[in-house]
Amino acid sequence: MSKVRQLFGKRDDGDRSEEGGKESGPVEAPEEIRGVIDTYRVPAGGKPDASAEVFVVEEDGLGKYLVRLPKLSAQEQRALEILHINLLDSIPVEASGDPREVVADYIWRTAEVAGLADVAHESHEKLLYFLMRDFTGFWEVDPLMNDDFLEEISLSRHDRPVRVLHRNFSEYMFMETDIVYPSEERLQAFVRRLAQLGGTTISLAQPSLEVTLHGSSDRRITATLGDEISRPGSTFAIRKQRENPITLAQLAVPEHARWPALGTREAAEPAAPYEEVHSHKTLSVLMAAYFWLLLERTTNVLVAGETNSGKTTLMNAILALANPKYKIVTAEDVLEISLPDHLHWQRLKTRSYRAGLSPISGRYEYGLSELLKLALRFSPTILSLGEMRGEESETVAAAITLGFSTMTTIHAENAERCVQRLTTPPMRFSEGHVRDITAIATMRKVVLQDGRVVRRVVSVDELKPSGAYEHEIANVFHYDPASDSFSPTTPAEVLDRSYRLNEIADSFGWSSAAVQTSLAVRAARITGQIAGGELSPRALSKMVKEFSIDESKHGAGRGWGRE
């Protein structure tokens, strides 16, 4: 493959419409846009000539997402058409490096030859924007792919508008955009492009696609080609991860947590108010402190919930609180877990024949079961599985028996259904393994009174042994949808309800007061991050490392925060 192909990829025959090679893109937004509730540029901070403008509007009670690209004059449109002609053939084969720089250089060189020097100087950023969109970007949906506020991009057929799920306007669910593909052929070309960018292929023989595009933020692609398995034609759904993983400081809300004064500066200071945009209020800081404390010993946590309820986000945020001395090994079908750099983290991924191997060469595949067996040989302190749904549960059960800490997600609507799934084929958990599960956190989408759709940890339950081969499910934390609040709200109440924390106290030789202090200090540390606006993964990593040093100096459960 030539360096040109490596930089830009191969152009499909359907890349251009047959209507005189006209640029296809978002339908032009109305001249007068009414009901605007938000507007911003993508990419964020982009100049008017090098970015698209987004308008989120409300119309008849429904949300719409409108896109306006930089406007082209007739002269600029003509120049762009000339630059489009044989762009790949005009770039030197030896070209390498940043594609943006290569295309920028191409514009200057071609402008001189084609007599476009004036327009190239006046509109260089605008021309570069459109060329990058069409040759290295995502064509019609390129602005959407660059919008970090979008959670999902979805299309059910070529002649319907693309729809989006916006993180800040969840009450509108899947909003229509003004982007419509001009033909099924154009849509098929885009689906093939997604496969190419993911390093695989899609065809009528294999008309489905599941791949992750890696970059500053990962995008999980699911698509179909033609009408072989989807009617009336091609479809796609793109799940977008944030460029920076959400931390527990962003997920937690401090105002519902109360703890006794500890004589420390951190615990004595009240939590400063902070903007909702920085707080998802998924759980309370006391709940976050509870999970953080569980990580200090052998613990087996399941994060349960329905599809797109935020299971992986919560698990990722909890794992980020792990002690820097630990070793974390993760195994996933699709890479979604993203942990801070300070952690000793080993990342494993399954491999299937879609990576370029023949479908009959199954012996070369690496499924989750094989991957987990390999992971155990790396001696992890914590073994994390992206999602447990089948025979790989047998290896997770074996890891629990061997004394490894485990954390995984599972599809189930509550703790009771979670246990049922674990003990029903294709899952392979025995009652003994179920008894070893420390806690089950249940995530759910909740509709608030104002219509917003939010994600909440609606319940945290522990599995308490109640006999030789029996267990009972004991609730520790509970969410009240009427008041949008969590309970309990004090460390004493948590300790009174938690069998596992009392286990930790016995194994460490702590007193009840020491456990309460440990919970309070951890909650205060997270609250301090929120109060100071220190919400980034880097800031959280620094706090966890500092906490670990303090703990080593002063001992577990006492002495933190001394001046």
Side-chain angles (χ1 to χ4, degrees):
M1 182 182 288
S2 71
K3 291 187 178 181
V4 170
R5 300 299 186 203
Q6 291 173 354
L7 279 170
F8 301 102
K10 181 173 57 179
R11 271 209 303 183
D12 193 282
D13 290 340
D15 279 12
R16 309 283 292 179
S17 67
E18 297 177 358
E19 300 175 5
K22 255 187 348 183
E23 294 300 307
S24 57
V27 177
E28 185 176 353
E31 292 184 3
E32 293 184 2
I33 301 179
R34 301 180 183 276
V36 176
I37 54 180
D38 195 13
T39 180
Y40 53 89
R41 291 194 171 276
V42 289
K47 298 177 181 179
D49 285 349
S51 63
E53 189 167 11
V54 169
F55 296 90
V56 179
V57 305
E58 182 175 311
E59 183 178 304
D60 298 328
L62 299 176
K64 288 194 174 183
Y65 182 99
L66 308 179
V67 179
R68 277 189 169 174
L69 300 177
K71 291 184 178 180
L72 292 170
S73 65
Q75 186 182 26
E76 291 168 339
Q77 180 66 45
R78 177 58 182 160
L80 185 60
E81 291 174 357
I82 294 173
L83 290 169
H84 261 290
I85 297 172
N86 298 322
L87 183 148
L88 292 179
D89 296 331
S90 299
I91 294 178
V93 174
E94 65 273 10
S96 61
D98 184 358
R100 184 178 179 84
E101 295 179 0
V102 174
V103 174
D105 181 65
Y106 161 77
I107 292 175
W108 294 124
R109 288 187 291 101
T110 305
E112 293 294 335
V113 175
L116 302 172
D118 290 342
V119 68
H121 280 87
E122 293 177 3
S123 309
H124 183 267
E125 287 296 320
K126 194 181 296 186
L127 297 173
L128 180 59
Y129 172 82
F130 281 99
L131 289 176
M132 292 296 294
R133 183 199 68 163
D134 293 341
F135 284 91
T136 71
F138 296 91
W139 303 353
E140 285 85 355
V141 297
D142 191 67
L144 282 56
M145 295 291 277
N146 285 310
D147 187 350
D148 200 38
F149 290 121
L150 296 186
E151 185 173 333
E152 186 167 339
I153 306 167
S154 177
L155 182 66
S156 59
R157 51 190 293 175
H158 85 272
D159 56 351
R160 299 288 171 82
V162 175
R163 291 178 177 259
V164 295
L165 197 60
H166 201 290
R167 300 182 195 276
N168 294 345
F169 301 97
S170 58
E171 64 270 28
Y172 296 118
M173 299 297 287
F174 281 93
M175 297 189 291
E176 281 191 359
T177 71
D178 53 354
I179 299 174
V180 178
Y181 282 84
S183 65
E184 168 67 15
E185 290 71 27
R186 175 69 173 181
L187 178 55
Q188 287 192 22
F190 178 66
V191 171
R192 290 192 179 96
R193 178 171 178 78
L194 291 175
Q196 179 190 8
L197 292 173
T200 185
T201 60
I202 187 171
S203 65
L204 295 183
Q206 292 182 340
S208 67
L209 174 68
E210 289 188 56
V211 71
T212 299
L213 305 184
H214 302 292
S216 57
S217 61
D218 291 346
R219 293 108 166 191
R220 180 175 178 176
I221 311 293
T222 304
T224 63
L225 183 70
D227 61 359
E228 297 295 312
I229 59 174
S230 59
R231 294 297 175 95
S234 304
T235 65
F236 66 76
I238 303 173
R239 293 275 299 276
K240 296 172 73 259
Q241 291 184 333
R242 289 179 179 271
E243 184 171 349
N244 294 312
I246 298 178
T247 66
L248 265 181
Q250 291 171 285
L251 293 177
V253 59
E255 56 262 35
H256 294 297
R258 306 188 305 271
W259 44 81
L262 303 175
T264 67
R265 173 175 53 82
E266 291 172 335
E269 292 181 352
Y274 56 100
E275 297 179 6
E276 180 64 18
V277 69
H278 294 309
S279 170
H280 294 261
K281 201 178 180 180
T282 303
L283 73 171
S284 70
V285 291
L286 199 53
M287 296 165 75
Y290 166 84
F291 287 118
W292 189 2
L293 184 53
L294 287 185
L295 289 178
E296 293 301 313
R297 58 157 294 167
T298 301
T299 186
N300 302 294
V301 175
L302 296 179
V303 181
E306 299 171 343
T307 300
N308 200 26
S309 60
K311 300 184 298 296
T312 303
T313 298
L314 177 64
M315 183 175 72
N316 192 90
I318 294 173
L319 285 172
L321 292 174
N323 193 311
K325 299 176 183 178
Y326 292 174
K327 180 178 181 179
I328 301 174
V329 178
T330 60
E332 303 172 85
D333 272 327
V334 179
L335 295 178
E336 293 183 306
I337 299 174
S338 180
L339 300 179
D341 293 336
H342 78 278
L343 291 176
H344 183 22
W345 172 37
Q346 189 161 341
R347 197 178 199 187
L348 303 178
K349 180 186 179 299
T350 59
R351 184 181 73 176
S352 68
Y353 66 83
R354 294 198 68 90
L357 301 175
S358 168
I360 65 174
S361 301
R363 63 183 181 274
Y364 295 116
E365 294 184 6
Y366 257 92
L368 278 175
S369 295
E370 292 79 14
L371 209 61
L372 284 172
K373 293 174 184 177
L374 177 66
L376 293 178
R377 297 188 178 96
F378 285 110
S379 302
T381 311
I382 302 174
L383 175 65
S384 180
L385 177 63
E387 181 183 339
M388 183 166 61
R389 56 180 178 267
E391 62 180 13
E392 66 276 358
S393 61
E394 186 174 20
T395 308
V396 175
I400 292 174
T401 302
L402 293 172
F404 294 102
S405 289
T406 63
M407 187 172 292
T408 182
T409 68
I410 182 172
H411 278 80
E413 58 265 33
N414 54 46
E416 289 79 7
R417 287 289 296 131
C418 182
V419 172
Q420 290 176 11
R421 283 210 63 198
L422 289 173
T423 55
T424 304
M427 297 284 192
R428 300 180 181 180
F429 264 59
S430 67
E431 175 61 32
H433 294 128
V434 171
R435 282 159 45 92
D436 289 332
I437 294 173
T438 306
I440 301 173
T442 302
M443 292 286 298
R444 189 174 299 160
K445 282 187 174 181
V446 176
V447 181
L448 299 181
Q449 294 182 2
D450 61 4
R452 286 184 299 134
V453 180
V454 297
R455 294 174 174 87
R456 297 287 186 261
V457 179
V458 296
S459 180
V460 177
D461 303 280
E462 295 180 349
L463 274 68
K464 179 181 177 181
S466 58
Y469 298 101
E470 297 178 351
H471 70 271
E472 63 181 63
I473 297 175
N475 179 257
V476 180
F477 290 96
H478 177 72
Y479 171 72
D480 179 17
S483 60
D484 193 25
S485 63
F486 305 94
S487 62
T489 57
T490 66
E493 292 176 278
V494 175
L495 185 60
D496 184 59
R497 298 167 67 96
S498 174
Y499 167 77
R500 296 299 183 180
L501 288 185
N502 281 284
E503 259 194 339
I504 291 179
D506 291 341
S507 63
F508 285 157
W510 292 2
S511 64
S512 296
V515 178
Q516 292 181 45
T517 301
S518 179
L519 276 174
V521 172
R522 292 167 195 266
R525 290 279 179 127
I526 297 173
T527 300
Q529 296 290 115
I530 298 172
E534 299 174 341
L535 308 171
S536 67
R538 182 183 297 274
L540 184 74
S541 299
K542 180 181 178 182
M543 183 270 287
V544 171
K545 286 192 288 185
E546 291 175 349
F547 179 88
S548 179
I549 294 172
D550 286 347
E551 184 183 50
S552 299
K553 288 181 179 179
H554 303 299
R558 56 189 180 275
W560 291 290
R562 293 175 180 172
E563 296 294 334

